[in-house]
Amino acid sequence: MSSSVNRPPFGSWPRCYAIVCAVALGYIALLYWFVRAFNHPGGPA
Amino acid sequence: MSFIDWAVFNAFLVWIVVDGLRRARGTNTLETYFAGGRTVSWWAAGLSIMATQASAITVIGTTGQGYETGMEFVQTYFGLAFAMVLLSIFFVPLYRAQPILTAYEFLERRFGPATRTLAALIFLVSRCLAFGVVLYAPSVVMSAMLGIPLTWTVLGIGALTTLYTTVGGVRAVIATDVKQMLVIIGGLLLILVLLLVEVVPALGFTGALRVLGATGKLNAVEFVPESLEFVPQLRGSAVKSFWNEKYNFWSGTLGGLFLMLSYFGCDQTQVQRILTNPTADESRKALLMSAFAKVPMQAGVLFLGVLLYLFYVLQGPPLLFDPSHVKKAGDAPLSSVIAPIEAEHRGAAEQLRRLAGRIASGDANGAEVDAFRRAVATERRARSAARREVLLHDPEVAALAPAQQKARKTPNDTNYIFPHFVLSHVPMVFVGLIMAAIFAAMMSSADSTLNALTASSIVDIYRRWLRPAATEAQALRASRVTSVLWGLAATGAALLFRGTGSVIEVVNQIGSFFYGSLLGVFVLAMVAPRAGPRAGVIGLCGGMLSVLATYWFLSVEFLWFNVIGCVGVLVFGGVASAFDRRR
């Protein structure tokens, strides 16, 4: 299970962290869109 | 389960145990037993991190939660990715700067032996109890569903997990975790496909979402809190404040951030994974793997539960999911009490099925949608009423005074929903695979906890205080004996938990009392370079007391305890540090 690949993903660590945070926000935005589009517990179905 | 399913299931167990035992080769030092010789690749450690977090209760409980309350639970994971980034930036360099074997070794280098030992003891006590629950809670469900005595289920899983973990150490844990995680993902994907095949032809994909939307179960993000009262209320107050809400964007992102920082950054069960990689960069990659995968995976598992609800709307949901409840409800005199509830439930279920088709096609008018929502509530109420009657007709409860009966909580059958579907509606062969996935989840959490408990016992207690001069061979022998003892203790605790539902709830909450304080002492080490040994101990005790005081006097949801504990340590530790400097 050893690995010799030891480069930061996406070029550098700061860029990698920025991408992780952007993806996390993207997930939340996607779920929010999903809720707005389909979840209507009190309104019209 | 059919013979073939049992064959698939047993083949999986043999495969895991044999694979774990094979890893014993070369495991002859503490460095290899607890850190895998620092040769584990990032993807294996990353999968092990995910498998350790995914207990069997995550699989069966989360799908059940999706069925009952929808997708709101996913918000607890919103802080995870940000926590992983912070851990990669601040914690990984600390842990990887020295060849440490436990997270708490770092604390001795910074605050001295007292803080390290206190932190290790907090970990050992809280994790030991939680370990019993990890074995017990899913065993109850699986033994009821499979008809195996509970004692055999607990003993079987406890013995198998202890066997390969004791022999192979952390290498066995990670190698089996990888396979167990793949089996879990495969099992969940299989269920997703089976449910989509049942639901989509009947309602269409958009139609299915329309029906689920009408039930309110697609509630994955809630920005606006139910209460805008930001002053925490006293314990026992009828007024609900913002701090009482379990699942919304704010508690999930901020409370969840602290929970994930504490769990992944300060709990030896998870920290041990990132100590097994060759370099700090590989440890970072292992952590960030979860950051990418966890939210979609958790949303997917909850969506499975929501689809399961829709499946039962189409098929007709059972009144009771727990087989022991079904058996009791069939016997007189309870059967005559249950009969009218069953009739009401059947009526609501029929209405649900009829109106779901209308809503899915987009032809339903406002009155029909309202009738559907009323049927959703009636069906749920009937299920709860039936469980209540089962409880009240239990001889032990029936003998109590009315006030005592009223105080008893209605039993929950959320954890039985997923296994009920698997055993009733999944085709042969696949049942064995899904059962293997559930047991894989149980073992993947248990093995990591067992090895982490052993690591802390040996490195932080045995070698630090009891036998500092122990040779490597003696320490390794002591590790294997300790691993067996922890396995026995957890299995024994799991057997003692029988019939003590409230104890399990308390045990589950115990972690929340300590986690934030553990995080706080690590943060104190980073932000207060002049804080000394006294500040470490006073800070740690002060953080735990802050959480305890909050628990006793205020009405605050458990997720926030992690924030309170962390802030408490920083305040108490900071003040102690200032006094130290003045002297």
Side-chain angles (χ1 to χ4, degrees), chain A residues 5-25:
Chain A
V5 182
N6 202 15
R7 287 189 303 274
F10 309 110
S12 68
W13 284 112
R15 189 187 292 181
C16 179
Y17 298 145
I19 288 172
V20 169
C21 292
V23 169
L25 290 172

Side-chain angles (χ1 to χ4, degrees), chain B residues 506-517:
Chain B
V506 172
V507 167
N508 274 332
Q509 290 166 357
I510 283 176
S512 310
F513 279 93
F514 301 123
Y515 264 0
S517 305

Side-chain angles (χ1 to χ4, degrees), chain A residues 1-10 13 16-17 19-25 27-28 31-32 34-35 38-45, chain B residues 39-41 44 78 81-82 85 88-89 209-210 213-214 216-221 223 249 279 281-282 284-285 288 291-292 296 359 369 373:
Chain A
M1 284 190 295
S2 65
S3 167
S4 57
V5 182
N6 202 15
R7 287 189 303 274
F10 309 110
W13 284 112
C16 179
Y17 298 145
I19 288 172
V20 169
C21 292
V23 169
L25 290 172
Y27 285 150
I28 296 170
L31 283 170
Y32 183 62
F34 179 70
V35 172
F38 294 106
N39 198 47
H40 303 292
Chain B
T39 57
V40 176
S41 65
F78 282 176
F82 307 107
V85 168
S88 297
I89 296 171
L209 292 179
R210 213 176 276 152
K217 288 186 189 293
L218 302 178
N219 48 350
V221 186
F223 278 117
F249 172 80
T279 63
D281 282 357
E282 293 251 322
R284 288 191 182 99
K285 286 187 208 173
L288 295 180
F292 278 111
I359 293 172
V369 175
R373 289 182 184 126

Side-chain angles (χ1 to χ4, degrees), chain B residues 387-403:
Chain B
R387 294 198 303 275
R388 186 79 198 160
E389 290 301 335
V390 170
L391 173 79
L392 294 177
H393 283 77
D394 185 278
E396 187 203 320
V397 179
L400 297 174

